[in-house]
Every structure is written in C-alpha cells, then in structure tokens.
Amino acid sequence: MIRFPHRLPAFYLAACSPESLAPKKCTKPAQRRAWHTLRNSEKKAYLDAEACVMKTPSKIAIPGARSQFDELVAIHQLIALTIHSTGVFLPWHRWYLNLHEVMLKGCGYTGATPYWDEIRDATLVNIISSAIYDPVTGFGGGGVAPTYCTTTGPFANYTNSIGPNYLATDGCIGRNFVGNPLREMNATAEANRCMTLTTYDEAWVCIYMIPHLAGRISMSSLRPDPLTSPTEPAFYMHHAYVDKMWWDWQEKGPPQLTLGGRKTQPAGPRAGLPRDPRQQGGGVGAHLRGPVGRAAAVDPGRHGGRTWQRGDAEPHPHFVRPHPRRHIPDATVRDVMDTRGGYLCYEYV
C-alpha cells in the first residue's frame, strides 16, 4: 500500500483567515444526509446559500470568473486533466466538496452537504421525477428547445461565465431530460459490485465508471463536457453521492485509509477528456482562446522538478498558481482520506 502525501491545491482567497479553518480534532462529525430526507426549510437554506455563492463577486484573478461560483467551476476546468482518470479522482473531489461547503457557509449555510441518493432514484422511469429536480423544493427542471435553459427553480435566470470546455463564455443551466440513465445503465448493480472489491485500485475505477458517469448523464446538462460540469448545481449533490460510495467502501472492515497500487494510472478510464493543451503544440495555452487561454499561459509546464504526465495521480496546480490566502488550508491526499480525521469532520447517514 502506498500513501500519497501530495498537496491538494487550494486556489481561493480566504473568506476568513486560514488559521480559523485549520484542522481540529473531529469530536462531532457533521451528518451528510440524502436530499430527499431534508425538510423543505433545510432544502431552501441550501439553495439560498448556493444562489448567494453565485452572486458573491469573484475575489481571485481567474480570467472570465465573475463570481465565487465561477471560480469554483474554473479551477475544476483548468486542472480537469489531472483529477480525472487517475487514482486521485476520489480524494480531490472530496477536497473540492469541502471547498464548496466552505463557500456555502460563507453565505450563512449552517448544514452539512447533502447527497443525491442515486440508488433510490434508479428505480424511477424518468429522472425528472427525482426530488432533486423538484421545481419548488429542488434544483428546478429542464427547458425547451433550442436552448433548454431551465425555466423553473432557483437557478432559472442564472448565467454562468465559464465553459464549455476550455472557453469562458456566458451560458445558462441547460437540461434536456430523457429517460433515466441510472436505471438504463444499471447503476445500482454496479454500485453494489464496487462495494465487493478489496483494493483501492479496483474500487476507484469501479466507482468512477458506471456509478459516477451514470450520475453525470442523469444531470442531463447541455454542457456535458467533464471540464465545466460543476456549472450544474446538482453536480455537488452527485459528487457527494460518489464520495459516499467511497466512504461506504472505506467503512468496510478495517479502515481503508490508504491508496494502493501505482502512483500513476496512465491507462485509466477515460470519459471524453480532451487532450492536455500543452501537448497540442505552440506552448502552454496557445490553442486556447480568450480568458482561459491567458489563464493557462501562467503554467511553466513543470512542477516539483519533473514534467507532468497524463494520468499522474498528483493534482498539480497546473494553469493557476495557488494564492497566498485561501478559503481553506492546503491539504494532502492523506489529509482527506479520513472524513473524521480533523481536516474533515463529517460522516454519511
């Protein structure tokens, strides 16, 4: 078994001082519950906080980002090639959910991050029937052709400025619901199979494939590229479910708190990821247009004295340099392996 002490980059200005968010002993873990079990008042509190993050002005010079929500999307966009199809997929997104929760709390949210119970919703004929997409107490529904911009719910009039792919352009939250991918892709059986696996190398690949990808498809986003999928607010519910799957697997028997196997996954699963822009000629960001191209150009192409390789399990801060002040403290992969370890303090119920 191999432990990876690599740093997870934190890119954001502090909503409060880093010292106040320093790791502490976890004595009372927050309880992350399924969205459909929350009271309507709890759902409203979460949605109101998300809308607040979308309106809170950006504080970091990430070109194209106007709000803190844009910043959140942009960092996923700009380092997507190092946090997907690699063994760091699960720990990085766990850190990312924590960053998102800190932003919500900066907008007055006092609850824990909920998760989308995708096993429960895999029984539905149409995914639009999920409580997640309730037009009043959920994230709203779909739209109509040609834009499919959502016309119901709290995000009906929201305009995001990041994406698609490596671009920075304005767009709505567009959804076109067709059937139920969770049901059609047999996500429940695959999720159950993942729980039977005994090594991290096996488990992360299993979770990444059908459970993760079926959930992404179920968001029915019209910006389906993996780079800017966080523009869809339901993304965070889905990834909390993915994190819960990993947590459930870790809870089996002896605590599974290490990453096993190779540091790199050069032949790991791919889900339509574009090529590394630095491998397309003309220098870093040369093929990218507009603000994102300028953001990409800050990367020197090396980190820690060695050239980055596709599939590297370390989430290098490529494209954007860490800012000296942050929303949350720097973390290592080891820091986020245990959700009750102090840096994090939560559990799923």
Side-chain angles (χ1 to χ4, degrees), residues 80-325:
L81 297 180
T82 48
I83 58 174
H84 295 88
S85 299
T86 72
V88 82
F89 168 74
L90 292 173
W92 191 90
H93 282 83
R94 177 173 282 179
W95 172 86
Y96 188 64
L97 286 173
N98 185 50
L99 172 61
H100 176 245
E101 184 172 298
V102 168
M103 289 184 171
L104 294 174
K105 291 184 182 301
C107 277
Y109 183 63
T110 59
T113 296
Y115 68 91
W116 180 357
D117 189 344
E118 296 180 13
I119 296 295
R120 177 179 183 268
D121 284 355
T123 62
L124 300 174
V125 175
N126 295 301
I127 197 64
I128 187 62
S129 301
S130 169
I132 288 284
Y133 296 117
D134 188 282
V136 178
T137 60
F139 291 72
V144 296
T147 65
Y148 293 98
C149 295
T150 182
T151 57
T152 62
F155 309 113
N157 298 313
Y158 174 66
T159 299
N160 56 58
S161 66
I162 304 297
N165 292 312
Y166 287 108
L167 301 179
T169 59
D170 285 350
C172 67
I173 296 173
R175 303 177 184 136
N176 182 21
F177 295 100
V178 179
N180 184 354
L182 296 173
R183 180 180 181 178
E184 294 149 12
M185 296 176 70
N186 207 15
T188 298
E190 278 298 295
N192 291 336
R193 185 179 73 84
C194 296
M195 293 300 106
T196 69
L197 302 175
T198 58
T199 68
Y200 183 81
D201 273 351
E202 297 172 303
W204 85 259
V205 173
C206 183
I207 294 170
Y208 182 92
M209 294 305 286
I210 298 301
H212 163 240
L213 296 179
R216 269 202 45 223
I217 296 170
S218 296
M219 292 189 294
S220 302
S221 173
L222 294 186
R223 281 193 171 182
D225 68 278
L227 307 186
T228 60
S229 50
T231 57
E232 166 58 66
F235 170 95
Y236 305 94
M237 299 293 98
H238 164 57
H239 263 280
Y241 164 73
V242 171
D243 185 60
K244 180 182 183 296
M245 280 194 65
W246 182 29
W247 184 86
D248 287 339
W249 182 83
Q250 288 182 299
E251 290 288 294
K252 299 188 314 169
Q256 301 276 3
L257 301 180
T258 59
L259 303 185
R262 297 172 299 176
K263 178 180 176 182
T264 60
Q265 302 288 345
R270 299 186 65 179
L273 289 171
R275 292 179 59 196
D276 175 8
R278 282 157 297 174
Q279 297 173 359
Q280 300 196 16
V284 177
H287 78 297
L288 306 180
R289 291 175 288 165
V292 175
R294 293 194 296 275
V298 306
D299 180 39
R302 298 185 67 84
H303 180 73
R306 59 185 177 80
T307 303
W308 178 87
Q309 301 177 45
R310 173 163 176 73
D312 197 327
E314 180 178 353
H316 301 314
H318 285 303
F319 307 123
V320 182
R321 298 178 188 276
H323 196 279
R325 294 170 58 215

Side-chain angles (χ1 to χ4, degrees), residues 55-68:
K55 296 175 183 176
T56 302
S58 170
K59 295 182 179 178
I60 299 211
I62 297 181
R66 293 193 291 258
S67 70
Q68 287 190 13

